[in-house]
Amino acid sequence: MSEGPPQQADAVDALRAQWERERPDLAGLDAMALIGRINRASVLLSKGMKPVFAEHGLEHPEFDVLATLRRAGAPHELTPSELVLASMVTSGAITNRLDRLERKGLIERHPDPSDRRAIRVRLTGAGLGLVDRAVVAHVANEERMLAAMPPEDQAVLSAALRQLLIALGDTRLG
């Protein structure tokens, strides 16, 4: 991490100080502080993403579905089960998201040609155009939110979080 002036205290420092005062015998406060910072950062980053999605008439979960279909490559379609695996939510949650996106004309569902019992979900032309516009604004917004951290610190944090995710078993989509 980059050298510089003493760091300003954050909200987690205050929480930690309270635990140190009330339970000086408690071990593991470093772990508690780190996980607290990860959780708080996640909440704040999610809050910072909402306006960009709203500018495109989307909510974050809807964007996730559109982005997953976009990343799948042409013809930009997957089964609902594949979407469940990619998003780590329940099939009911995916069904609700798909219903909303279909009403907006951003996706279409059609029978799988190789299995009439299965359904495929595909981006419409409008959905493809919207996700392509939204992802540009989304990435710019993410860069803006991380701008306070020098690129080398971002790289160190990214590598450390990758190591944590691997240790927790998060090594592939689905």
Side-chain angles (χ1 to χ4, degrees):
M1 302 257 215
S2 64
E3 295 292 323
Q7 292 185 340
Q8 180 179 352
D10 66 6
V12 174
D13 289 324
L15 295 171
R16 182 186 177 127
Q18 291 171 339
W19 278 116
E20 287 172 341
R21 181 189 70 232
E22 296 300 317
R23 290 288 311 272
D25 61 308
L26 193 61
L29 290 180
D30 287 342
M32 180 187 281
L34 177 56
I35 291 174
R37 285 187 174 99
I38 291 168
N39 287 333
R40 291 176 76 89
S42 177
V43 168
L44 292 169
L45 291 168
S46 291
K47 190 185 289 188
M49 289 184 234
K50 278 185 179 185
V52 170
F53 296 134
E55 287 173 16
H56 292 86
L58 297 170
E59 294 179 12
H60 195 163
E62 295 170 328
F63 174 80
D64 284 344
V65 170
L66 296 177
T68 300
L69 291 167
R70 179 64 173 99
R71 289 191 317 266
H76 309 294
E77 72 176 27
L78 296 168
T79 66
S81 297
E82 290 168 327
L83 287 167
V84 167
L85 290 174
S87 61
M88 296 176 26
V89 298
T90 66
S91 60
I94 284 292
T95 299
N96 289 335
R97 291 175 190 180
L98 295 179
D99 288 346
R100 286 194 310 267
L101 291 167
E102 191 171 40
R103 281 193 299 272
K104 292 179 177 184
L106 302 174
I107 59 128
E108 58 190 12
R109 293 182 248 202
H110 61 89
D112 187 321
S114 62
D115 181 355
R116 291 178 13 152
R117 296 168 297 164
I119 297 291
R120 309 266 319 157
V121 178
R122 178 182 300 157
L123 282 176
T124 62
L128 180 61
L130 178 62
V131 73
D132 278 348
R133 288 187 306 277
V135 75
V136 170
H138 174 58
V139 169
N141 187 43
E142 288 179 323
E143 288 177 327
R144 179 195 60 78
M145 288 190 291
L146 294 175
M149 289 182 76
E152 58 274 10
D153 288 356
Q154 291 180 36
V156 168
L157 179 58
S158 185
L161 290 172
R162 178 185 301 111
Q163 184 179 358
L164 175 61
L165 290 171
I166 290 168
L168 295 172
D170 190 30
T171 58
R172 62 188 179 117
L173 291 177

